[in-house]
């Protein structure tokens, strides 16, 4: 009897989730997210209904609120799209799908978790538009871009992209892979999870529950005759050891590290126990990065003088205003949702490991000394890169300071 009631409830929920009102509501949410270039949709069950928030340019903003009667049907609709079990409401679930919104294909990665008042879903949106994987469009200065392009064309060695969570490291790696993705190269990746699906690559996803980790993946990859390996993240000594060995034995290896600067990535590898002589032999370059919001091109307003924050940096000797600088301030319009910002761009610093810098890589390597030496050899720091973008009216000094200091 209880099973029959449960089946009836499940069938009723499926009917509601497939009904026109719920389908239309979910489609409208996806349409709004794509129109605003949101990266995530947060669908959160609350006591009195369903709160919808969109992460736009790195910040969450409220989108709407649905009545409690629509909470389970809307969540179920999202789960059905991602191929998840709508009958399971206690355990977390993950899935993915592809939809077409506004004439463009969009990959969705859906994660659900049980909350106090019902399930919550977070939908990550990943556009399949090739322009999002254009290395030249990420915001690197011309000399940094040229240096990275030279290093990634080398037949072997280690290239690291460093930064905190949400700094765009995965997009940078995917863009590099798109450059390297030619018919004469075998490229294999192990990621957690696979965010960008790139035709021509062999892409795999870690599954710790069955013992498929970054380390075991790299071991198996070496038997598949690859030219390029991409490891989503170096998290432990075992992964780092195997990755370094792969870089030593004729493979180009790309990976990420969670550090605050490019120089700190070298220290992090030393902390993981990698011998300094191995680092000197394999490490080619480290790209440090952050993301800042770009000024809305439709409503930004020019101003003749730099901001008070920029003046303070100038007083501290960290910024030098020039007569040809173009300063702009955020205003706000319907296109940018009243924020004054639309889209994001990267701030970068690139350490190119020449012989002089390699001599500083020791077991007691000091990040500040390495960064200082790299600066004397031409490295542009993320702060300097950000202030150059401020000079050009791309962003504001407040955004640069928020991301770098």
């Amino acid at each position: 009897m209880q099973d029959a009631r449960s089946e009836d409830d499940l069938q009723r929920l499926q009917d509601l989730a497939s009904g026109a009102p719920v389908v239309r509501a979910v489609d409208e949410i996806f349409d709004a997210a794509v129109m605003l270039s949101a990266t995530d949709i947060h669908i959160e069950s609350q006591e009195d209904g369903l709160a919808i928030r969109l992460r736009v340019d790195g910040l969450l903003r409220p989108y709407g609120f649905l009545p409690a009667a629509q909470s389970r049907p809307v969540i179920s609709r999202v789960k059905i799209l991602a191929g998840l079990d709508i009958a399971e409401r206690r355990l977390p679930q993950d899935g993915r799908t592809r939809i077409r919104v506004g004439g463009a294909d969009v990959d969705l990665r859906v994660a659900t978790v049980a909350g106090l008042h019902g399930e919550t879903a977070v939908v990550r949106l990943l556009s399949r538009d090739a322009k999002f994987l254009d290395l030249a469009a990420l915001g690197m200065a011309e000399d940094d871009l040229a240096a990275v392009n030279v290093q990634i064309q080398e037949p072997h060695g280690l290239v690291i992209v460093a930064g905190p969570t949400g700094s765009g490291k995965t997009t940078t790696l995917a863009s590099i892979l798109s450059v390297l993705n030619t018919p004469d190269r075998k490229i294999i990746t192990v990621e957690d999870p696979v965010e960008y699906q790139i035709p021509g690559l062999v892409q795999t996803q870690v599954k710790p529950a069955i013992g498929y980790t970054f380390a075991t993946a790299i071991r198996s990859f070496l038997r598949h005759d690859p030219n390029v390996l991409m490891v989503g993240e170096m998290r432990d000594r075992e992964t780092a050891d195997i990755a370094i060995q792969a870089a030593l034995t004729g493979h180009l290896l790309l990976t990420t590290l969670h550090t605050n600067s490019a120089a700190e990535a070298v220290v992090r590898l030393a902390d993981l126990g990698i011998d300094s002589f191995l680092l000197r032999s394999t490490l080619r370059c480290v790209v440090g990065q952050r993301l800042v919001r770009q000024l809305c091109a439709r409503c930004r307003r020019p101003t003749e003088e730099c901001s008070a924050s920029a003046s303070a940096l100038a007083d501290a000797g960290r910024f030098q205003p020039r007569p040809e600088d173009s300063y702009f301030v955020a205003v706000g319009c319907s296109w940018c949702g009243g924020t004054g910002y639309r889209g994001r761009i990267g701030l970068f610093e690139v350490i190119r490991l020449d012989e002089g810098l390699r001599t500083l890589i020791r077991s007691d390597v000091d990040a500040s000394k390495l960064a200082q030496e790299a600066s004397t050899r031409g490295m542009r720091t993320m702060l300097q890169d950000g202030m150059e973008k401020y000079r050009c009216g791309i962003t504001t000094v407040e955004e640069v300071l928020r991301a770098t200091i």
Side-chain angles (χ1 to χ4, degrees), residues 266 276 280 354-366 369-374 377:
V266 181
S276 55
R280 290 195 295 269
D354 58 21
E355 289 306 315
L357 288 177
R358 291 183 195 280
T359 60
L360 297 179
I361 300 179
R362 303 185 300 270
S363 58
D364 60 344
V365 58
D366 183 278
K369 289 182 179 179
L370 184 61
Q372 184 177 3
E373 183 62 23
R377 292 171 179 270

Side-chain angles (χ1 to χ4, degrees), residues 15-28 66 70 73-74 77:
D15 292 341
L16 287 171
S18 302
V22 171
V23 171
R24 186 164 52 249
V26 173
D27 287 348
E28 287 175 357
L66 298 175
Q70 287 190 286
V74 167
R77 172 63 182 169

